[in-house]
Amino acid sequence: MKNRADEIIYLMRTHKGYGYRHIPADLLVPFVRYEWQSNRWAMITDPVDQKVLAWISWYSLDEPSLKQVQQYGLPTCYAKKIPMGPGPYLYLCNTVVREGVSHEVFRTLINMVKQENPHALSINAHLWNRDTPTWRWVNFTQTMKQGRLSA
């Protein structure tokens, strides 16, 4: 693979039961490469072979932009050229965790995002439900306050 961004894209496209298969490669590839260049991401690698175990990227949005993303999803907002403004609300846009890796790795990613963005008012995402192949909206800030995700 040419670089880590390509490794992440490969992981996203081949992950069993993952939500990225419906996103055309001509949209996903430049999207992830842009995010890689933005430095708004966190990654966990295997200490032995250095393979990517998990990766997460985010956008800092204003409240109207976050509502648009919640309603339509980020790829649709881009496709429809809906303007996005910067602000204190985080949207986790791409997350992938290698199959067979502990759930604690995902929790660690969320905590890394919190550490990088201490002034964020909320952390939000669309998550892919593997059991019933659908997207669901999650506000991690509320989830953490309820004690359902370790802070």
Side-chain angles (χ1 to χ4, degrees), residues 15-150:
H15 195 291
K16 182 178 83 175
Y18 219 69
Y20 291 101
R21 290 191 205 168
H22 77 286
I23 299 174
D26 64 338
L27 179 62
L28 183 65
V29 170
F31 195 49
V32 171
R33 286 189 180 144
Y34 167 78
E35 291 172 355
W36 180 264
Q37 295 298 321
S38 77
N39 288 321
R40 292 183 312 260
W41 53 266
M43 178 172 62
I44 299 171
T45 59
D46 185 289
V48 176
D49 64 14
Q50 296 303 305
K51 285 185 179 179
V52 174
L53 296 180
W55 185 75
I56 193 167
S57 62
W58 63 86
Y59 285 78
S60 300
L61 301 171
D62 61 15
E63 191 170 5
S65 299
L66 183 67
K67 288 180 180 180
Q68 293 290 331
V69 169
Q70 181 178 4
Q71 182 174 355
Y72 299 112
L74 194 58
T76 300
C77 288
Y78 278 129
K80 292 185 174 193
K81 299 185 177 171
I82 296 172
M84 299 281 120
Y89 299 92
L90 297 185
Y91 177 70
L92 307 178
C93 51
N94 280 313
T95 305
V96 65
V97 178
R98 189 174 293 278
E99 290 181 68
V101 173
S102 164
H103 292 280
E104 288 302 315
V105 170
F106 179 73
R107 291 180 181 98
T108 300
L109 281 178
I110 298 296
N111 288 325
M112 291 168 77
V113 171
K114 283 175 48 181
Q115 289 171 3
E116 287 291 319
N117 299 278
H119 301 295
L121 296 180
S122 68
I123 301 172
N124 309 274
H126 284 104
L127 294 185
W128 183 250
N129 187 338
R130 295 180 197 173
D131 299 326
T132 59
T134 55
W135 292 100
R136 62 187 168 94
W137 181 257
V138 176
N139 179 318
F140 285 101
T141 310
Q142 291 174 349
T143 304
M144 288 176 200
K145 286 179 183 173
Q146 295 167 356
R148 294 188 311 204
L149 186 68
S150 62

